[in-house]
Amino acid sequence: MTEQTSPMSAERYAESLYAQDEMLSRVEEGIRANGMPEISIAAGYGRLLTLLVKLSGAKRVLEIGALGGYSGICLARGLEEQGKLVSLELKPDFAEVARRHLTEAGFGDRVEYRIGEALDSLDVLEQEGARFDFYFIDADKGNYVNYLERAIRLANPGAIIVGDNALMHGRVVDPAVTSNSVQVMRRFNQMMATDPRLESTLLPAYDGLCIARVKG
Ligand SMILES: C[S@@+](CC[C@H](N)C(=O)[O-])C[C@H]1O[C@@H](n2cnc3c(N)ncnc32)[C@H](O)[C@@H]1O
């Protein structure tokens, strides 16, 4: 019988180069054990978040959408000693799981969870005069453009803005799909690409990742 060989995907090849990350595997197990959706950021983009936080020297990071803390750990790993992560999450039970995982990973004292609608939390942060050096946008897609506007408003010069799921599993590039969330994501990608306040790129691997820098 002839052996069937098929090329592995570029993403699988990239993942095969890295040792299993024990802490992040525990987070994935915790997410499954708690019956939460398995929609954490792709491992390769998690590593990119760590690198971007480190390379940018960001001290104040804002995450929109905590889930079980997978991306939170990736962001926190990039922070310097005095750095801080603020994470916005709608569901108190999800934030509790995320907090537990961040604490297990040694970042319990670096993270603050704010529970509720992210737009409401952003209002409060704005009233408090909060400013951020780094954003990771990864919650309800229908609000991505609103989150981007808020992020720019609360940004220190040179801040980095990252948005996950820019391709929405191919739906964004399919003209037949006209759902609200897909249309908002198209507007988000367009704004990241053309807004004069930003310089950016869109990485089309995994589910697509948009990265911008707020001009100083
Ligand atoms: C894709 S998951 C986040 C995954 C996480 N960033 C990671 O990679 O580990 C989206 C999260 O956003 C939360 N969420 C959804 N709508 C929200 C809203 N309006 N405000 C705040 N959080 C929201 C969900 O409960 C969920 O935990």
Side-chain angles (χ1 to χ4, degrees):
M1 221 165 73
T2 326
E3 195 187 332
Q4 287 288 316
T5 56
S6 55
M8 58 165 99
S9 72
E11 282 96 349
R12 275 191 59 201
Y13 168 70
E15 294 310 335
S16 75
L17 300 174
Y18 293 87
Q20 188 172 337
D21 187 313
E22 298 299 337
M23 184 62 231
L24 294 179
S25 297
R26 284 213 291 283
V27 172
E28 288 174 322
E29 277 163 30
I31 285 172
R32 276 193 293 276
N34 283 281
M36 296 160 69
E38 295 178 51
I39 49 173
S40 304
I41 191 170
Y45 282 162
R47 286 189 292 272
L48 181 58
L49 287 182
T50 304
L51 277 174
L52 288 172
V53 173
K54 232 177 239 186
L55 290 169
S56 65
K59 293 191 171 46
R60 290 193 40 90
V61 175
L62 182 76
E63 171 182 65
I64 305 180
L67 190 68
Y70 188 109
S71 58
I73 290 174
C74 297
L75 293 164
R77 281 175 173 172
L79 285 171
E80 289 169 14
E81 205 58 42
Q82 67 281 36
K84 183 129 199 257
L85 169 67
V86 177
S87 182
L88 312 185
E89 174 54 52
L90 182 64
K91 301 190 172 177
D93 46 334
F94 285 12
E96 207 36 59
V97 173
R99 190 197 309 280
R100 216 162 48 232
H101 287 144
L102 270 278
T103 303
E104 264 180 54
F107 300 116
D109 57 343
R110 307 281 203 86
V111 63
E112 177 194 345
Y113 287 97
R114 299 214 177 187
I115 316 297
E117 286 287 342
L119 283 176
D120 296 339
S121 300
L122 284 160
D123 279 344
V124 174
L125 285 164
E126 190 165 6
Q127 282 156 22
E128 292 171 1
R131 288 287 177 274
F132 294 94
D133 309 304
F134 196 106
Y135 299 88
F136 179 48
I137 301 174
D138 193 22
D140 57 324
K141 313 303 167 208
N143 267 314
Y144 259 43
V145 169
N146 295 329
Y147 295 149
L148 180 53
E149 270 300 348
R150 301 301 188 88
I152 296 172
R153 233 159 57 206
L154 302 189
N156 283 323
I160 305 293
I161 303 174
V162 180
D164 197 17
N165 308 111
L167 300 178
M168 295 181 73
H169 304 287
R171 294 199 294 282
V172 162
V173 293
D174 180 351
V177 182
T178 56
S179 65
N180 178 59
S181 57
V182 166
Q183 292 196 54
V184 172
M185 188 61 83
R186 288 181 186 131
R187 289 217 317 277
F188 172 84
N189 291 338
Q190 190 70 45
M191 190 171 157
M192 288 285 267
T194 58
D195 191 291
R197 297 167 293 180
L198 304 173
E199 47 195 335
S200 75
T201 191
L202 193 166
L203 306 181
Y206 300 98
D207 196 24
L209 196 78
C210 253
I211 307 174
R213 177 183 176 276
V214 180
K215 291 177 186 168

